[in-house]
Amino acid sequence: MSAAAVPAPRREPAPARPLWVSVEGINGVGKTTAARALAACLGERCLLLDELTDRGGDTLPGRVISALAAEDDVFLRTGYPVVETLALLALKVREVERLAVLPTAPEVVIEDRGVDSVAVYQAAILSAQVPGADPADVARHVLSTVSRWRLLPDATVLLTDNREVCTRRFADRIGRTLALRDLRVIEQADILYTGLAAAEPDRYTVIDTTGRPAEAVADEVGALVQDLVKQREADHAA
Ligand SMILES: Nc1ncnc2c1ncn2[C@@H]1O[C@H](COP(=O)(O)OP(=O)(O)OP(=O)(O)O)[C@@H](O)[C@H]1O
Ligand SMILES: Cc1cn([C@H]2C[C@H](O)[C@@H](COP(=O)(O)O)O2)c(=O)[nH]c1=O
């Protein structure tokens, strides 16, 4: 049989990569509320990745987070900020690897705190412990390191609100009084988020939630994600 007579293998279109949306912001701003409402609205098309610190039980993330939380600190501070950062980034790379082997990929992934959280919080924690470290440099370095191992999110929604209001909600939720060193981490995280959002306006969308009910915030995040899904479908069709 001549080569020309051999039918060419049927090429399936490459499976579409999910639209990856992370929800970011300081403690207590309303990320989990918005992410859960959005996931409920998108239904089966969507996979919600819970925040790493919300994965309990005998899972690898659960065990790593327990180890990093062993000091009973408000943050994941064990005194080895570089090790903590690498461990958290490894868990974030693992999420993508696990998704890649699912038999059916979701259309949309919603991530409650993504790699930007690790960059921002670890930069805040590390720069408080390492004299001379510039937090913005550290945050950029963390993001650039992890981007060699996995893609950054397609879109990142940064929720913002009054820091004192958020901090109070957070302290109420965990039932603790925050020390000055904790408040400094949150303040630094707030500053770093603002800087990242300004530096990457194509990826980041900032939603100011000040004085707005959770339902209105969820609706705005939902509308944004629906637009991104439509845009993606149009790009694929073109
Ligand atoms: N827009 C809003 N207005 C008022 N309260 C809100 C709003 N969104 C969320 N909340 C409330 O604030 C608290 C914190 O919300 P949520 O857990 O969603 O925030 P978070 O950013 O995920 O917090 P954390 O960083 O602590 O995980 C909850 O009690 C929630 O009901
Ligand atoms: C990603 C990340 C998180 N943490 C800390 C920050 C918070 O205290 C908790 C999670 O906070 P939430 O208010 O429940 O969202 O984990 C950290 O220390 N380092 C990190 O990289």
Side-chain angles (χ1 to χ4, degrees), residues 126-135 137-138:
L126 193 144
S127 58
Q129 293 178 34
V130 179
D134 174 54
D137 274 354
V138 178

Side-chain angles (χ1 to χ4, degrees), residues 27 51 53 74-76 88 113 118 121-122 125 170 173:
N27 314 68
E51 192 177 338
T53 45
V74 168
F75 295 101
L76 304 171
L88 291 164
R113 282 200 186 280
V118 180
Y121 279 86
Q122 292 309 119
I125 290 167
F170 176 53
R173 181 171 73 75

Side-chain angles (χ1 to χ4, degrees), residues 155-168:
T156 296
V157 179
L158 174 61
L159 302 181
T160 62
D161 198 336
N162 177 282
R163 194 164 62 236
E164 278 174 29
V165 170
C166 297
T167 306
R168 211 174 312 124

Side-chain angles (χ1 to χ4, degrees), residues 75-206:
F75 295 101
L76 304 171
R77 277 184 297 212
T78 59
Y80 301 94
V82 175
V83 175
E84 292 148 15
T85 306
L86 292 173
L88 291 164
L89 288 185
L91 294 178
K92 286 293 175 193
V93 173
R94 181 178 183 267
E95 283 176 338
V96 176
E97 288 183 340
R98 280 166 61 85
L99 222 91
V101 296
L102 285 183
T104 317
E107 202 180 320
V108 183
V109 174
I110 304 295
E111 194 181 18
D112 185 353
R113 282 200 186 280
V115 285
D116 293 77
S117 270
V118 180
V120 157
Y121 279 86
Q122 292 309 119
I125 290 167
L126 193 144
S127 58
Q129 293 178 34
V130 179
D134 174 54
D137 274 354
V138 178
R140 279 192 296 269
H141 184 70
V142 171
L143 282 178
S144 116
T145 301
V146 75
S147 66
R148 293 184 206 165
W149 293 94
R150 58 162 273 185
L151 292 169
L152 296 184
D154 298 298
T156 296
V157 179
L158 174 61
L159 302 181
T160 62
D161 198 336
N162 177 282
R163 194 164 62 236
E164 278 174 29
V165 170
C166 297
T167 306
R168 211 174 312 124
R169 284 185 199 152
F170 176 53
D172 286 348
R173 181 171 73 75
I174 62 172
R176 292 172 75 146
T177 304
L178 301 181
L180 191 58
R181 69 194 287 258
D182 304 325
L183 296 172
R184 287 214 175 109
V185 170
I186 299 175
E187 181 187 12
Q188 187 60 257
D190 206 5
I191 294 167
L192 289 170
Y193 273 131
T194 306
L196 288 179
E200 282 195 75
D202 290 344
R203 175 160 72 93
Y204 263 90
T205 301
V206 182

